[in-house]
Amino acid sequence: MPNISIDYALAEKSSRIAVIPLQLKWSDVGSWDALYDILEKDGKGNALKGDCVAVDCSNSLLLGSDRLVAAVGLEDTIVVETNDVVVVAKKGETQKIKDLVGLLKKSCRKEVNEHTTTYRPWGSYTVLTEGSGFKVKRIMVLPGERLSLQMHYHRSEHWVVIAGTAKVTIGEKEIMVHESESVFVPKSTKHCLENPGKIPLEIIEVQTGAYLEEDDIVRFNDIYGRIN
């Protein structure tokens, strides 16, 4: 989608638009401050969403996603926790988040462009943890979908099925892998993962190798047209 307003992209160019008055409360919710304004507050003016505990806090927003957010003695403060970052800001200053993002871009931080959960035509994957020489993902493949026939030069993969049934191709071999079963994919070996079942397929993937970035992939066949 182009980064332009709907006024310029559509409204100014159409003769088939009508405008009528409407009485309602409206907010673009374009900042954490705006979100605080529309959320329900407790007796001390705190807006709490997720697994949050506030002690002696007032007029603050605590927003939790994956972990317990515990705050003590905060006033006019916004705390937002996601699975890859925690943002703490003074209320009224959250428009400066764009400056923070600019700083992260200059530092080439991957958090600017990569989320821990990435969606693909076949499903999604979530990075659970990573370190030197390893990365662990939770992969979900929708019923009837499959990943491309692919190969990696620098990493091996170990798949453990935790839900559903996987149809796995490794080299010339094709096998069915069920819950609590696992399979090993050596580096530089053609492989494919498919969900032939009726429920989502979920696997834990453990990658090991010297280079684990997403561009270490060669696709040989892909039903979505993504061929190297």
Side-chain angles (χ1 to χ4, degrees):
M1 297 291 290
N3 185 22
I4 55 178
S5 70
I6 192 173
D7 303 14
Y8 178 80
L10 180 62
E12 294 179 3
K13 295 177 172 60
S14 176
S15 60
R16 304 179 64 185
I17 293 177
V19 179
I20 62 173
L22 178 63
Q23 297 297 322
L24 54 75
K25 183 179 180 180
W26 172 258
S27 172
D28 285 329
V29 196
S31 68
W32 296 117
D33 287 296
L35 181 60
Y36 168 84
D37 290 338
I38 67 173
L39 290 177
E40 183 178 349
K41 318 294 191 303
D42 64 15
K44 295 185 177 180
N46 298 307
L48 309 179
K49 283 291 183 180
D51 191 6
C52 302
V53 178
V55 177
D56 293 332
C57 295
S58 61
N59 303 318
S60 296
L61 168 64
L62 303 183
L63 185 62
S65 175
D66 292 302
R67 290 164 287 182
L68 168 66
V69 176
V72 179
L74 297 182
E75 182 178 356
D76 296 323
T77 302
I78 290 178
V79 180
V80 179
E81 178 270 334
T82 67
N83 54 11
D84 62 342
V85 67
V86 176
V87 175
V88 181
K90 181 180 179 181
K91 203 167 69 176
E93 301 285 336
T94 58
Q95 292 290 352
K96 295 181 181 178
I97 292 293
K98 61 183 179 181
D99 299 326
L100 175 60
V101 173
L103 181 62
L104 295 175
K105 286 182 177 179
K106 288 181 180 179
S107 303
C108 298
R109 295 291 304 236
K110 66 180 182 179
E111 289 87 352
V112 177
N113 298 310
E114 298 179 15
H115 197 270
T116 54
T117 297
T118 301
Y119 294 91
R120 292 287 188 258
W122 44 261
S124 65
Y125 67 83
T126 300
V127 178
L128 302 178
T129 186
E130 59 184 311
S132 178
F134 77 94
K135 182 183 291 187
V136 180
K137 293 180 178 179
R138 185 184 185 119
I139 297 176
M140 188 277 292
V141 184
L142 295 167
E145 303 295 336
R146 69 174 182 265
L147 283 66
S148 58
L149 178 65
Q150 58 188 250
M151 179 189 74
H152 311 292
Y153 285 113
H154 303 289
R155 73 173 184 252
S156 300
E157 297 173 340
H158 192 121
W159 296 338
V160 181
V161 176
I162 59 175
T165 298
K167 183 178 180 181
V168 177
T169 301
I170 302 177
E172 301 299 322
K173 183 173 64 173
E174 186 176 277
I175 60 174
M176 304 297 287
V177 186
H178 304 280
E179 292 180 12
S180 301
E181 297 178 347
S182 63
V183 65
F184 177 71
V185 182
K187 67 178 64 174
S188 301
T189 302
K190 290 183 180 180
H191 59 278
C192 181
L193 176 65
E194 181 178 352
N195 181 3
K198 302 297 184 182
I199 65 172
L201 166 66
E202 295 187 45
I203 72 169
I204 298 297
E205 176 184 87
V206 180
Q207 302 177 0
T208 56
Y211 184 79
L212 303 174
E213 298 304 318
E214 294 302 317
D215 58 354
D216 178 24
I217 183 171
V218 179
R219 291 188 176 94
F220 301 96
N221 184 24
D222 183 77
I223 63 176
Y224 310 106
R226 304 168 302 162
I227 303 297
N228 293 62

